[in-house]
Amino acid sequence: MLSSIKILNRMEPNTDTWGTPRVTGCQLPHVAMGVMSPPLSLEDNGFNVTPPHPSDTSEDEMEKLKEELKKWKERVEEAEKAKADLILSKMSADEEYAKELTKLKDLKEKKHKEIIMSRDTQEQQLRVTNQENAGLKREIEQLQKDFVKHCSLLPQTSQIKKKVAEIQMKFSHMDDKKDDCLDMNTHCHFTVMTKIPFKLNQNQALITFEDEEVAQRLMKTGKHTLILNNKPVDVRVIPVTLEMGIRLELHLTISGKKINVSEIPELSIPDDWMRDKLELNFYKAEKGGGEVEDVKYDRESRTAVITFLKPGAAQSFVRCTEFPFLVNGRCFWLSVSPGTNKHLEKCQVYHGVSKKTLLLQGIQGIDDDDEESIQDMIEIHFQRPSNGGGEIETIKYVSNRATWVCFEEDNSTKGIVS
């Protein structure tokens, strides 16, 4: 950057051969011009501007001075122009610097705010996580306490009993002995078919006919007009689509050699002694026992499995539920049951449409709340052969509530109301 312009010229007066004074040069004072300072005049720049007298200089001398003055003016103009360019460049640089500095400050503030927000968010999440962990820890501790409490209430067999719905089993047959081998076990087969629940909504009725053809004929008609409380009511007859049902076979084998013994008393004797006492207790023939082949005793569950040597020896205990047990001069009563082996076969899943049952919809506009009388009117209508009906096996009607009915498989026809 041009900081100053120094002009050093020495002009000394002289005379030529003709005695005329001549200016050969002049020493100008040191002039320093800053970049931001305004331009100076020739006098301020150190020039001694004294117009020569016309009689002191010749025309050539004047021309040379004019040329030299012109050159100095051009240099001054160039310097001023360079100075102006430098000022503009500096102003532009300062402006860019200010902009970048502002951007950096804004970016720094933004990053600082983001860091603070992120830290606050993380701290909040950490607090929430700690609270959840504390809650889960308390819940785990409570569950462990409940588990210990319930385990202490369970029987020592660690068995959980649960009531289930009763299912009717149909006895199929008993297996005969194969060849001439001695088989004193009892083999039974049971057929189990689950009932299929069906939701009957209000103002609906289910009718099961004895004849499948009657149900199919009424279903083809689709729409029927019933007279209920002296009012005609149009109802729709649609088939009943059943949900999934299960059919299976239960194979039960009652052993002729093994019995299960439970409720064995807790005695402070070794397990080997207990096994020997059980063997001796069931060995006595006068009590219906026999020679014992093996005894498997479990102290923790207080149970044992007794295996007799002779086939058929366990059959004497089939109807026996309690058996005396004499030990150390005391009599205890043991719970006895035959040894059984159960397994399932031919488990089948089925569903379909009931062939003998129809669903009636749209039984509305009945003021009478007596469901029984309305049900009798529906039954009378669909029993008449003139209406295309026939003998009805079962009927169920609900007016102002929903209820559940069950279907079960009836030979080759799926679905009867139960």
Side-chain angles (χ1 to χ4, degrees):
M1 179 181 296
L2 180 60
S3 61
S4 63
I5 300 175
K6 295 181 180 180
I7 303 174
L8 297 177
N9 288 322
R10 188 174 183 85
M11 299 180 63
E12 297 179 356
N14 201 352
T15 55
D16 54 12
T17 54
W18 300 97
T20 305
R22 179 174 59 84
V23 180
T24 58
C26 64
Q27 184 175 0
L28 302 177
H30 181 255
V31 180
M33 293 189 299
V35 176
M36 301 299 294
S37 60
L40 303 177
S41 61
L42 293 177
E43 291 86 349
D44 295 334
N45 278 323
F47 290 98
N48 187 9
V49 183
T50 303
H53 196 273
S55 61
D56 295 337
T57 56
S58 63
E59 293 182 0
D60 293 335
E61 291 288 342
M62 290 298 293
E63 291 296 332
K64 289 180 180 181
L65 289 174
K66 289 180 180 181
E67 290 293 333
E68 189 173 357
L69 180 60
K70 183 179 180 181
K71 290 178 180 180
W72 280 110
K73 287 183 178 180
E74 292 176 355
R75 291 181 182 180
V76 170
E77 291 177 357
E78 291 178 358
E80 294 294 336
K81 183 177 180 182
K83 176 182 176 182
D85 293 340
L86 289 174
I87 292 173
L88 292 176
S89 299
K90 182 178 182 302
M91 293 175 62
S92 178
D94 292 341
E95 186 178 354
E96 292 293 331
Y97 171 76
K99 291 181 180 179
E100 293 296 330
L101 184 60
T102 304
K103 290 182 180 179
L104 290 175
K105 288 182 179 179
D106 294 341
L107 182 61
K108 183 179 179 181
E109 292 178 358
K110 183 179 179 182
K111 291 294 184 182
H112 183 66
K113 291 181 180 178
E114 290 179 354
I115 291 173
I116 294 176
M117 292 178 63
S118 177
R119 183 180 61 189
D120 295 341
T121 303
Q122 291 177 358
E123 290 178 354
Q124 184 178 2
Q125 291 178 353
L126 182 60
R127 288 195 297 269
V128 173
T129 303
N130 291 335
Q131 292 176 359
E132 292 178 352
N133 289 339
L136 291 174
K137 186 177 180 180
R138 291 192 297 268
E139 186 176 354
I140 291 172
E141 292 176 355
Q142 184 63 36
L143 289 175
Q144 289 176 348
K145 292 180 181 179
D146 295 341
F147 178 74
V148 173
K149 180 179 178 181
H150 289 301
C151 287
S152 62
L153 298 177
L154 289 175
Q156 295 184 358
T157 55
S158 300
Q159 294 180 354
I160 299 176
K161 296 182 179 180
K162 181 180 179 181
K163 292 183 179 181
V164 296
E166 295 183 358
I167 299 177
Q168 294 183 357
M169 294 187 296
K170 181 180 179 181
F171 178 76
S172 300
H173 63 280
M174 293 183 61
D175 291 343
D176 298 331
K177 293 189 298 181
K178 296 181 180 180
D179 302 330
D180 295 331
C181 62
L182 184 61
D183 185 7
M184 300 301 294
N185 297 333
T186 303
H187 303 275
C188 303
H189 292 182
F190 296 89
T191 302
V192 180
M193 292 175 292
T194 60
K195 294 182 179 181
I196 305 173
F198 181 83
K199 184 177 181 181
L200 184 63
N201 296 318
Q202 61 182 5
N203 297 322
Q204 291 183 351
L206 282 173
I207 302 178
T208 301
F209 295 91
E210 294 182 358
D211 191 355
E212 178 183 332
E213 295 181 357
V214 175
Q216 299 300 316
R217 182 172 61 249
L218 292 173
M219 186 177 62
K220 290 180 179 179
T221 305
K223 184 178 179 181
H224 294 265
T225 301
L226 282 66
I227 305 299
L228 303 177
N229 289 341
N230 299 322
K231 295 180 181 180
V233 178
D234 294 332
V235 297
R236 289 183 296 125
V237 178
I238 61 175
V240 178
T241 303
L242 303 177
E243 298 295 333
M244 182 180 64
I246 300 176
R247 182 194 305 110
L248 54 88
E249 289 184 1
L250 173 63
H251 293 252
L252 175 65
T253 300
I254 303 175
S255 177
K257 295 178 63 177
K258 294 182 179 181
I259 60 173
N260 297 323
V261 181
S262 59
E263 300 182 7
I264 301 174
E266 296 183 0
L267 302 176
S268 58
I269 59 176
D271 292 352
D272 294 340
W273 292 12
M274 180 62 74
R275 280 192 289 267
D276 294 340
K277 291 184 179 296
L278 289 172
E279 181 178 353
L280 291 174
N281 193 75
F282 286 95
Y283 176 76
K284 298 177 182 180
E286 63 271 14
K287 294 183 180 181
E291 185 175 357
V292 177
E293 180 181 357
D294 182 46
V295 177
K296 293 182 179 179
Y297 169 66
D298 185 3
R299 177 181 293 272
E300 182 178 358
S301 61
R302 298 171 54 197
T303 60
V305 178
I306 311 295
T307 303
F308 296 96
L309 182 63
K310 181 180 178 181
Q315 292 182 353
S316 58
F317 298 95
V318 171
R319 296 183 179 180
C320 179
T321 57
E322 292 184 346
F323 195 81
F325 180 44
L326 300 176
V327 57
N328 295 336
R330 299 177 59 185
C331 180
F332 301 92
W333 289 95
L334 305 179
S335 179
V336 181
S337 61
T340 59
N341 181 22
K342 302 178 285 292
H343 67 277
L344 302 178
E345 291 184 2
K346 298 181 180 180
C347 183
Q348 299 176 351
V349 178
Y350 64 91
H351 64 88
V353 178
S354 177
K355 296 181 180 179
K356 298 195 303 182
T357 305
L358 298 177
L359 176 64
L360 304 182
Q361 292 182 340
I363 308 175
Q364 297 179 356
I366 306 301
D367 297 333
D368 191 359
D369 295 334
D370 189 2
E371 291 185 356
E372 187 175 355
S373 61
I374 299 298
Q375 182 172 298
D376 292 341
M377 295 177 189
I378 296 173
E379 185 175 2
I380 292 172
H381 176 86
F382 284 99
Q383 273 185 338
R384 293 174 179 174
S386 59
N387 296 328
E391 292 297 327
I392 296 176
E393 184 176 311
T394 56
I395 181 173
K396 180 64 178 177
Y397 165 72
V398 291
S399 60
N400 54 6
R401 70 187 186 283
T403 186
W404 288 89
V405 296
C406 293
F407 284 78
E408 62 183 7
E409 188 179 31
D410 181 23
N411 297 329
S412 61
T413 303
K414 293 185 179 68
I416 61 172
V417 179
S418 60

